[in-house]
Amino acid sequence: MLIGLSVRNAKRQSREYLLYFITLACSVSFIYAFNTLIFSDLIADLPDLEILPYMIIVASILIVLIMGWIIGYMTNYMLKRRSRELSIYMLSGISNRSISTLVLFENILIGTVAFVLGLPVGVFLSQLLDAIIANMFNTTYRLTFSFSLYAAGFSLIYFFFMLLYAVIKNRKWIRKASLYEMLNYDRQSEKAMLSKGKSSAVVFTLSILAACVGSMLLYTTPLGNGYDVLIGLVCLILFLAGFFQSISSFLSIWFADRITWKYRKEHLILFRWFTAKIHSMSTSMGILSILLMLSIFFMGIGTSAYRIISESQQGVFDIMILHKGEITDFSYYEGMLGQKFSLSASYAYGIYTDTNDDFLQTRNNVMEQSGYSNSITLAEYQSDTYMKQSDYQALRDMLGYEQIDMNSSLCYVHCLSPLKDAFETLIAGNKNLNCEGYAFAENGVFCEPFCQMDTYGNGYDYIIVVPDVAVNRMDVLYSLWAALTETPLSTQDLQTMTKICQDLEQLNRNVIYSASGDYTTALIDNDIDYLSGRWMNSEGVTQIYAISICLFYLALVFEIIGAAILVTQLLSDRAKEQKKNQVLSQLGMDSKVITKLNRLQITLAFILPLIPALIFSSSLVSICAEKMQRNAFHLPVFENGFWFIQSFGIAMIFFLLLYCIYYCTALFSFSGI
């Protein structure tokens, strides 16, 4: 009997359960999608990403606790909505234990349907995640839409504990509730902490002051050591809490004397609803805005970090071996490494130098003008560096770049993109500029990734490409052997290379030693060769990627929690809204106008907590992204702030897609009143 009644109730109140159902289905989809990364063959094949599955498990456990709370919050809302119905059951002689069992069956039924329907969406999201991760590591992605039983099993376990936590919490209350408590349960509402009056205006003013202080600390960072960031965040949280506790009273005071505005069209109805609603759910609005701010912040940081790491991966060669001071034969390394690793291409060449420093000075000027510190103190880079045209063309061909028709009597430049304009200006403004008597070509500056971001690559930030005969009168700075492999390498592979090849050591650019004068060097031993390449720092990069993925995971969950709280609060007054609409209809207001007012009320409720969250989260992401950029690069790699706008825009697209789902849910739920 109870099972049949549960099924009937679930069908009859499908509109009431829609928000609950969507929250459960979204939770299942995200949990399944991220759990597939634990068992993904793609993750298993990628270098140094073994930490990601463990981070996903830890994040999932945290999310189970958080989602268990929000599901309990929503089931509590459903109990309020149905308290009169449950009271009738009690009057009919049905025991509290049977009523709690009835509610349990209903939750199990809705949870089962949500789990079954959420899994297909999770499969699609898992493929999207695989595509993003494959793009991170420049590997081939194949669309498969495979279903992981292990991931589904993990998701079921997590989902079970979430529901169990929520149901047990409310089931205990139902068993102990009296008839009086059940009848009056739906009349309980959130109480505002502040009463209307001058105290609200004072709190509003103080919250604005806290926002100003927090913003100033975050932008100027005068204290250092992270204290200003911590205090700034606390000030912003205090602002959001105080703002929503006082905004309704402040608006009432602000518009009290604006008679013309209040009585124009339906402004008075909208204004009274707005201030009353914000006053009654001020605490929830503050919590919601903080959750939305954290969600946008996590998404923005994740996308910005991904963009910075992608831009910093200028090491286009899988393996590079450096020999200091002279041209050497690398055939020994090619033979030894070729037996252990599948090499698709390789090439040996030299990097040269002389006494000219025109391009070096220009490069230093760009750094100074952009506010970046001049980090060149290395003994190897006291003047410009050069490469043969034949070597340059061979490397371009090896990397699959478009071949350039070079004039054998002219010089060219390959550099990082921030230096291109300055170098072109230098060449155009100095017609006498030459290298060993060879002039520079117009429009001869190229900027493809060419292993120039780090020291001891193809120059440091730039290389001058000269006719082959021009290097005859130059000194050899070092010689290089560059190779591409069939599959990505890992840190363990690099360690294997140093074991099987004698006199080969990994190049540690972070450890430098004193050289002549005020210069330093990382090349201290002429009897060994140095191993580097694009995978040299892969462990640190993959850890950043793993953290970004987990932050994105948490951001989605925070958004679900915040949006679910908002819609739940809006739906809690549906009965009052129905009575208000009936009164307005009896007074002669057109039904279309009433519907328009309802939609406008919902839109305002969704926009209000989002505006401060968006303002502060964008500021936080901007500050953190700029700091990450300066820590990652010694040159302003991004020409302007468009890169941040692009990264933040991608984060906002994901955020708004999910936010709009809950917005549409609220509109649909209110469409019947």
Side-chain angles (χ1 to χ4, degrees), residues 405-646:
D405 185 15
M406 287 186 166
N407 190 323
S408 59
S409 60
L410 294 176
C411 300
Y412 300 82
V413 180
H414 196 111
C415 64
L416 299 179
S417 56
L419 299 174
K420 182 178 181 180
D421 292 340
F423 283 171
E424 288 180 342
T425 302
L426 172 66
I427 294 172
N430 190 350
K431 300 299 182 183
N432 296 324
L433 186 67
N434 68 86
C435 177
E436 300 295 338
Y438 295 96
F440 283 82
E442 295 183 1
N443 301 319
V445 181
F446 310 104
C447 297
E448 296 94 338
F450 200 57
C451 194
Q452 296 180 310
M453 185 70 71
D454 291 320
T455 53
Y456 307 113
N458 290 326
Y460 189 21
D461 300 334
Y462 70 94
I463 193 81
I464 301 173
V465 183
V466 299
D468 288 12
V469 296
V471 302
N472 294 337
R473 294 186 293 273
M474 297 180 182
D475 297 326
V476 178
L477 189 60
Y478 49 81
S479 56
L480 291 167
W481 179 74
L484 298 176
T485 59
E486 299 286 352
T487 58
L489 301 176
S490 65
T491 303
Q492 290 74 18
D493 292 329
L494 299 177
Q495 294 174 353
T496 301
M497 293 178 189
T498 57
K499 291 180 180 179
I500 64 176
C501 295
Q502 298 178 356
D503 301 326
L504 185 63
E505 180 180 301
Q506 290 191 34
L507 175 61
N508 189 349
R509 296 181 175 89
N510 296 322
V511 179
I512 55 177
Y513 304 88
S514 298
S516 59
D518 296 329
Y519 292 97
T520 56
T521 183
L523 310 178
I524 60 170
D525 196 337
N526 292 330
D527 296 328
I528 64 173
D529 297 326
Y530 294 91
L531 172 67
S532 63
R534 66 188 300 185
W535 304 109
M536 179 61 70
N537 299 317
S538 60
E539 184 174 1
V541 171
T542 51
Q543 289 176 358
I544 294 176
Y545 279 150
I547 293 173
S548 298
I549 292 170
C550 290
L551 284 178
F552 209 86
Y553 190 10
L554 290 173
L556 293 172
V557 173
F558 282 155
E559 185 179 0
I560 289 175
I561 294 171
I565 290 174
L566 175 59
V567 180
T568 302
Q569 289 286 341
L570 291 175
L571 293 179
S572 63
D573 287 342
R574 281 189 62 196
K576 295 179 181 179
E577 291 300 312
Q578 285 177 336
K579 293 179 180 179
K580 183 198 73 175
N581 291 345
Q582 290 174 359
V583 172
L584 292 176
S585 179
Q586 291 172 356
L587 291 175
M589 181 174 287
D590 188 82
S591 60
K592 293 183 179 179
V593 178
I594 296 175
T595 302
K596 179 181 177 182
L597 277 175
N598 289 333
R599 291 177 178 176
L600 190 55
Q601 289 173 182
I602 295 171
T603 303
L604 287 174
F606 269 82
I607 290 177
L608 180 62
L610 182 60
I611 291 176
L614 182 58
I615 292 173
F616 289 122
S617 61
S618 61
S619 300
L620 287 171
V621 175
S622 176
I623 294 169
C624 294
E626 178 61 25
K627 291 184 179 296
M628 288 191 297
Q629 179 186 187
R630 288 184 175 271
N631 290 332
F633 308 115
H634 56 274
L635 274 171
V637 173
F638 302 108
E639 297 180 0
N640 49 49
F642 180 74
W643 79 272
F644 166 73
I645 297 175
Q646 185 182 44

Side-chain angles (χ1 to χ4, degrees), residues 62-81:
L62 175 63
I63 285 167
V64 166
L65 298 177
I66 297 173
M67 291 306 301
W69 174 81
I70 188 59
I71 292 173
Y73 178 87
M74 296 183 68
T75 52
N76 182 264
Y77 157 74
M78 295 304 303
L79 288 178
K80 282 187 177 182
R81 292 285 299 162

Side-chain angles (χ1 to χ4, degrees), residues 294-466:
L294 291 175
S295 177
I296 300 173
F297 175 64
F298 286 165
M299 287 188 184
I301 285 294
T303 53
S304 298
Y306 169 69
R307 181 67 187 279
I308 288 173
I309 293 297
S310 299
E311 194 68 26
S312 67
Q313 297 303 296
Q314 295 282 341
V316 291
F317 300 105
D318 297 314
I319 305 172
M320 293 191 76
I321 298 178
L322 180 151
H323 179 80
K324 182 182 177 182
E326 61 182 359
I327 301 296
T328 189
D329 183 11
F330 292 97
S331 58
Y332 165 74
Y333 296 116
E334 185 170 7
M336 294 294 293
L337 298 180
Q339 295 176 6
K340 182 69 176 179
F341 305 96
S342 300
L343 304 179
S344 58
S346 63
Y347 189 78
Y349 56 100
I351 302 297
Y352 305 85
T353 188
D354 63 6
T355 59
N356 294 329
D357 62 354
D358 298 295
F359 288 88
L360 176 61
Q361 293 299 325
T362 301
R363 180 256 192 200
N364 292 343
N365 291 337
V366 171
M367 293 180 62
E368 183 177 352
Q369 293 171 5
S370 61
Y372 284 65
S373 61
N374 192 332
S375 59
I376 285 193
T377 58
L378 296 173
E380 290 80 11
Y381 298 103
Q382 301 180 41
S383 56
D384 295 331
T385 51
Y386 305 87
M387 175 186 290
K388 292 181 181 179
Q389 282 191 13
S390 59
D391 294 338
Y392 179 71
Q393 293 283 31
L395 292 175
R396 288 186 67 91
D397 182 63
M398 179 176 168
L399 295 171
Y401 294 159
E402 180 183 358
Q403 286 299 302
I404 300 172
D405 185 15
M406 287 186 166
N407 190 323
S408 59
S409 60
L410 294 176
C411 300
Y412 300 82
V413 180
H414 196 111
C415 64
L416 299 179
S417 56
L419 299 174
K420 182 178 181 180
D421 292 340
F423 283 171
E424 288 180 342
T425 302
L426 172 66
I427 294 172
N430 190 350
K431 300 299 182 183
N432 296 324
L433 186 67
N434 68 86
C435 177
E436 300 295 338
Y438 295 96
F440 283 82
E442 295 183 1
N443 301 319
V445 181
F446 310 104
C447 297
E448 296 94 338
F450 200 57
C451 194
Q452 296 180 310
M453 185 70 71
D454 291 320
T455 53
Y456 307 113
N458 290 326
Y460 189 21
D461 300 334
Y462 70 94
I463 193 81
I464 301 173
V465 183
V466 299

Side-chain angles (χ1 to χ4, degrees), residues 64-171:
V64 166
L65 298 177
I66 297 173
M67 291 306 301
W69 174 81
I70 188 59
I71 292 173
Y73 178 87
M74 296 183 68
T75 52
N76 182 264
Y77 157 74
M78 295 304 303
L79 288 178
K80 282 187 177 182
R81 292 285 299 162
R82 301 179 57 200
S83 60
R84 301 295 178 90
E85 174 192 344
L86 299 180
S87 300
I88 295 175
Y89 291 156
M90 294 177 68
L91 288 172
S92 301
I94 301 177
S95 65
N96 286 33
R97 180 181 294 273
S98 298
I99 293 174
S100 66
T101 304
L102 171 68
V103 175
L104 173 63
F105 285 155
E106 291 179 12
N107 281 275
I108 292 175
L109 176 62
I110 295 171
T112 302
V113 177
F115 185 84
V116 172
L117 296 182
L119 283 181
V121 180
V123 172
F124 171 78
L125 292 177
S126 68
Q127 294 303 309
L128 180 61
L129 277 177
D130 283 347
I132 293 173
I133 294 174
N135 182 64
M136 287 179 176
F137 292 91
N138 298 316
T139 58
T140 303
Y141 167 73
R142 293 182 177 85
L143 185 64
T144 57
F145 284 105
S146 59
F147 181 76
S148 174
L149 288 176
Y150 292 107
F154 265 67
S155 302
L156 181 60
I157 293 173
Y158 293 148
F159 189 69
F160 170 78
F161 280 107
M162 287 191 311
L163 275 180
L164 185 65
Y165 171 83
V167 171
I168 289 178
K169 179 181 177 182
N170 290 288
R171 194 179 185 188

